[in-house]
Amino acid sequence: MQHYGPFVENAERILLSSEQKFRHYILCLDITDFRSFNHFYGFEAGSNFLLEIQEYLENLSQILLVRRFYSDCFLCLASSPAGLGDKELLAECRKYFSAFLTSRQEAYPACTLKIACGVCTVEKKSPRSSISSSLADAIDGANAARKESKKRGSHSPVLFDQDMSVRLSAQYAQEHANALALHENRFCFYLQPKVSLTTGKIVGAEALARQKSPDGKIIPPDIFLPLMEANGSVVELDRMICAQVCAFLSQRLKNHLPAVPTSVNLSRIHIQNPSSADRFHGIAEHYGIPPRLLEFELTETILLQEFSGAKQLIDRLRALGHPVSIDDFGSGYAGMNIWQELTFDILKLDKNFLSQDPERSLRNEILIPHLIQIGRRLHTRILCEGVEDLSQCLYLKKLGCFLAQGYYFSPPVPPDIFYTYYENHSKLIPCGAYPKD
Ligand code: C2E
Ligand code: CA
Ligand code: CA
């Protein structure tokens, strides 16, 4: 609440002296894609535009208080007659903004001006002393509804409701669990084999993060990762997993046990830090791991968003001796510049290359041999993910793809189970005819 400054104190004062016949609510709004506004019209025009909005809001009779609290985000306290229903309330909010935006659109034709807005009623709790908690809840609610409005892209105001409240509580609980798990070192990694389709041998592994709940349950990344990516704590997670992998490999090397090259996944946030590659390399060095045993995977979507940063990170990791894979290739829309401008070691084809859809599979049969050809000429290996049966192995071999990963060989498993499997299958995993091919 601190950063909302005098808004909270003033709002409390207004609410305390207000009459029962009004419904009070918080509006939280921001301008969609304000960056592109600044880009087209310059910073000064941007600042003036924000002042225009502020002035407009201040002059609306329903709005009692306005504060710009962050970049292009505004908070307002507003009131309407107590009998006004939710639908009418939203219609009223929509009216404020469409009138303003229509009047300004002509002055700024290069941008499609839109406002994302969240609305949350300040619940009247008794006794009166609890006004400050009602207000805090309403601000949080309006802010969450603003994000929802942005996500929906419709740019109609969104009212904070019970569903959103349940979702938000679950999100806060998971965020809290994630922070605690980091603090208590309750993350671990599973390993999934990478297999050569020519020899049937395991030639590497991918480390995949898992969270252990206090009661010992294993939680998969889709539960904890999106939130950790959103709040940046994935940076710490990636370092922790890398350190655990290195510690594990180091133990095996010390005991003269086999250790296969193992890849760890890197979140896009590492790209923004120019010293990321050296930090990860430092972890390998600390545990005495030869760089060729520690590989890194970066997803195709990272490349789309921050190409030059990604290129720097990849180049530096490779210069330090670590192989780099481009992950999930084919799940997004990476273009030819992947091949033109980047040097990497393995291209991991997303599992949709094994799609059963007839149209897709026809296209894949044309595409895969060409990708393999390009890869071969540029000294890049191609691995296909998500292989679930023998027929897919045969299909890939027919097309010239000789590295695979997927449930057919093994799901991700705890590291000791992985190495038991490795030792038992060190000669052959059935993936077609051997050894002629
Ligand atoms: P990914 O890197 O593409 O990892 C492969 C995912 O596909 C894994 O899910 C794996 O269990 C699943 N998979 C493997 N074989 C098959 C198959 O044959 N069929 C199907 N349907 N799925 C298969 P998981 O372990 O749940 O990981 C999900 C994603 O979470 C990973 O996708 C990766 O992007 C991310 N992730 C996992 N660990 C880390 C980590 O330590 N750091 C970061 N930044 N991301 C991680
Ligand atoms: Ca991966
Ligand atoms: Ca992948």
Side-chain angles (χ1 to χ4, degrees):
M1 295 287 279
Q2 206 92 55
H3 67 295
Y4 301 126
F7 179 86
V8 174
E9 288 151 37
N10 293 339
E12 269 179 31
R13 228 184 345 260
I14 293 171
L15 290 167
L16 278 167
S17 60
S18 72
E19 293 173 46
Q20 288 295 325
K21 60 182 183 193
F22 289 107
R23 174 181 185 173
H24 288 96
Y25 51 98
I26 296 288
L27 294 178
C28 184
L29 52 113
D30 76 333
I31 301 140
T32 307
D33 209 10
F34 193 55
R35 255 202 315 197
S36 86
F37 185 100
N38 276 329
H39 172 75
F40 275 110
Y41 295 107
F43 205 71
E44 205 182 323
S47 303
N48 286 338
F49 185 64
L50 294 175
L51 286 176
E52 283 175 36
I53 295 184
Q54 173 126 13
E55 210 174 281
Y56 174 79
L57 292 168
E58 280 168 353
N59 284 327
L60 287 169
S61 62
Q62 296 89 336
I63 293 200
L64 310 174
L65 196 61
V66 181
R67 181 177 163 82
R68 189 176 139 212
F69 71 97
Y70 169 77
S71 175
D72 59 330
C73 280
F74 291 87
L75 264 186
C76 308
L77 173 68
S79 75
S80 293
L84 199 73
D86 291 350
K87 253 194 183 151
E88 291 80 18
L89 179 69
L90 286 176
E92 192 168 276
C93 297
R94 197 174 305 125
K95 220 165 58 194
Y96 309 153
F97 302 125
S98 57
F100 174 76
L101 293 175
T102 314
S103 73
R104 303 312 297 136
Q105 188 65 67
E106 217 169 279
Y108 305 109
C111 298
T112 311
L113 297 173
K114 282 181 180 172
I115 285 178
C117 175
V119 185
C120 185
T121 306
V122 184
E123 297 297 346
K124 295 228 164 56
K125 293 181 196 166
S126 52
R128 284 187 147 231
S129 60
S130 65
I131 275 245
S132 92
S133 89
S134 307
L135 189 60
D137 290 349
I139 293 175
D140 283 351
N143 201 11
R146 172 185 65 89
K147 290 180 191 163
E148 184 65 29
S149 155
K150 213 166 200 171
K151 209 157 65 188
R152 287 186 197 168
S154 63
H155 304 291
S156 289
V158 169
L159 187 70
F160 184 79
D161 59 13
Q162 195 52 33
D163 274 3
M164 224 180 281
S165 162
V166 170
R167 246 185 301 140
L168 212 62
S169 307
Q171 180 180 322
Y172 288 152
Q174 188 58 50
E175 262 174 343
H176 180 66
N178 293 346
L180 214 61
L182 270 179
H183 183 69
E184 294 171 357
N185 217 348
R186 275 190 289 97
F187 282 98
C188 64
F189 68 91
Y190 275 18
L191 291 177
Q192 188 178 34
K194 297 175 186 171
V195 174
S196 157
L197 295 179
T198 31
T199 62
K201 284 186 182 175
I202 294 174
V203 291
E206 174 174 5
L208 293 150
R210 298 289 183 265
Q211 189 181 111
K212 287 184 279 188
S213 69
D215 59 0
K217 270 209 237 58
I218 293 291
I219 302 162
D222 57 333
I223 304 289
F224 58 81
L225 209 59
L227 292 170
M228 296 185 82
E229 276 170 347
N231 70 16
S233 59
V234 70
V235 167
E236 206 181 322
L237 172 71
D238 286 351
R239 286 192 198 127
M240 186 184 271
I241 296 297
C242 180
Q244 288 185 9
V245 166
C246 289
F248 176 77
L249 291 175
S250 147
Q251 212 47 44
R252 291 194 68 85
L253 294 176
K254 270 191 202 130
N255 294 326
H256 307 287
L257 293 166
V260 297
T262 305
S263 56
V264 295
N265 290 280
L266 292 188
S267 137
R268 57 186 285 273
I269 305 181
H270 300 290
I271 290 175
Q272 290 145 19
N273 181 352
S275 61
S276 286
D278 289 81
R279 287 194 73 162
F280 280 104
H281 178 68
I283 298 175
E285 256 186 346
H286 174 80
Y287 287 99
I289 304 301
R292 64 167 186 86
L293 279 189
L294 180 65
E295 304 185 353
F296 293 93
E297 299 195 5
L298 287 140
T299 64
E300 180 199 61
T301 43
I302 294 182
L303 304 173
L304 290 175
Q305 289 156 6
E306 286 150 292
F307 196 83
S308 76
K311 178 171 164 46
Q312 262 176 24
L313 178 63
I314 294 171
D315 288 350
R316 182 69 187 144
L317 284 170
R318 295 189 75 248
L320 292 165
H322 300 283
V324 173
S325 304
I326 302 302
D327 201 1
D328 301 341
F329 182 82
S331 64
Y333 292 94
M336 281 307 280
N337 59 350
I338 275 203
W339 295 112
Q340 284 167 326
E341 295 179 44
L342 293 181
T343 311
F344 50 93
D345 302 278
I346 296 177
L347 186 75
K348 295 185 84 173
L349 303 183
D350 187 78
K351 56 179 171 290
N352 72 32
F353 274 97
L354 297 171
S355 164
Q356 300 290 315
D357 175 68
E359 168 76 5
R360 224 168 217 254
S361 119
L362 198 70
R363 283 167 184 262
N364 286 339
E365 272 190 48
I366 299 167
L367 283 172
I368 296 176
H370 287 285
L371 283 172
I372 289 163
Q373 271 292 319
I374 299 172
R376 206 169 275 156
R377 301 283 297 270
L378 295 174
H379 308 290
T380 305
R381 283 169 295 154
I382 313 280
L383 177 151
C384 190
E385 292 188 296
V387 174
E388 292 185 355
D389 57 45
L390 180 60
S391 71
Q392 291 173 334
C393 292
L394 296 171
Y395 169 78
L396 288 169
K397 285 174 80 171
K398 187 181 86 184
L399 301 181
C401 175
F402 298 115
L403 279 175
Q405 189 178 337
Y407 293 165
Y408 174 61
F409 309 106
S410 162
V413 289
D416 48 337
I417 297 183
F418 171 89
Y419 275 100
T420 309
Y421 182 69
Y422 175 83
E423 272 144 34
N424 293 341
H425 290 84
S426 60
K427 296 231 163 22
L428 207 91
I429 295 174
C431 28
Y434 303 107
K436 269 188 268 153
D437 52 4

